[in-house]
Amino acid sequence: MPKFLHTADWQMGRAFSRFETEDGAALVEARFESIERIARLANEHRCDAILVAGDVFDAQTVADRTIRRVFNATKEFTGPWVMLPGNHDAALAESVWTRAKRLGAVPGNVHLALEPGTVNLEPQGLAILCAPLTQRNTYIDLTESLNTWETAEGLVRVGLAHGSVQGLLPDEIDSANPISPNRAETARLDYLALGDWHGTRQIDERTWYSGTPEPERFRNNDAGYALIVNVPGRGEPPDITAVETARYQWHQWREILAVESDLDQLLERLQALPEPSVVDLRLEGSVTLAGEEKLINALSVAEARFRSIRCDRSGLQLEPTDDDIAALKADGYVGEVIEDLRARQQDDNAEAARDALAILAGLLKDRKQEVSE
């Protein structure tokens, strides 16, 4: 009854340059931690092996230090690992994998599937049929050869591949590195472990994408898991359990604020998020001056609490109420300027007008406070 852990798309060496330096470094570190977490999970679930279905590395040019750290992070699980090259780290004649070998960084229990063929793990009862990418993109189904490969009687047949299952995934990725949707059936596989799609996804009862163990983009596709695969016996359907591996949750919200309750509900949802969150907000609609102040204060609190939060307010107009203007004592010429800036939020200089209105409101509020003191 073999049991193994299926993971993929680690993308080690990936940079997060769009984030602040401190946040980007933390996101990079979380990816190394995810490998260590995978090793611990394999031990906890008493797995016989760990299979990595491609894109261990984000590029062929990652630093030597990154290569060494990746393999160092595997040490807690002493059973066999099988690592498959994907499109980001294809098994070229000279590749990140050949560098890893030259560095002496690959532990003895890590099998690198750099050529098509079978990795026999007889003590574990597993035959791993590997279809590595030897170039970044191919337009033939490399898994077709699995149909003809024979394995020792009694060993569970597990396919390991990286690419796009044809006809089932979104059109934009249904092109290079194709994989037949019925490959598990035609190759008589007990399980087909796939990489390339970064979210956990079932294709059929024997074919799964594990997804990336640590999310790295704002896409709601069930990233942040590994799969524990338990095969009762040759020819029997596998039992699949998704286990959480992610340190950070990524949230991308696009919100339209029309009434005061919209803002209140948004801030309640924001408050409910856990601290290890990466948040990207884009706000449109309108907000009062009081609402703007409430929003700014909430974002300031969130910046200190979350790993990262970004908020695009360029589409959010400031709409001071009569009470807002009365509270600012913005009569006469100043009142006319406020009205002009409110109107200018409708033209091509909307963002500049909004910022100017916010600054003016802030100055008036500060002046009012000084007078009262």
Side-chain angles (χ1 to χ4, degrees), residues 128-177:
I128 314 302
L129 288 70
C130 304
L133 288 173
T134 55
Q135 59 190 52
R136 184 175 178 89
N137 292 318
T138 182
Y139 295 93
I140 61 172
D141 185 350
L142 299 179
T143 67
E144 187 173 0
S145 59
L146 274 59
N147 293 349
T148 62
W149 295 356
E150 299 298 328
T151 53
E153 187 176 351
L155 293 185
V156 166
R157 287 169 64 92
V158 177
L160 190 62
H162 189 91
S164 301
V165 174
Q166 298 298 279
L168 296 179
L169 296 179
D171 291 340
E172 65 268 20
I173 64 170
D174 198 13
S175 53
N177 310 321

Side-chain angles (χ1 to χ4, degrees), residues 15-29:
F16 294 90
S17 55
R18 57 179 165 162
F19 294 92
E20 297 292 336
T21 301
E22 179 184 348
D23 296 329
L27 294 173
V28 167
E29 196 62 27

Side-chain angles (χ1 to χ4, degrees), residues 14-15 35 57 79 102 154 172 179 203 212 249 258 290 337 343 345 352:
R14 185 184 183 95
I35 302 175
F57 297 97
R102 282 200 302 272
E172 65 268 20
I179 296 174
I203 303 303
T212 182
Q249 297 181 10
V337 171
Q345 290 183 97

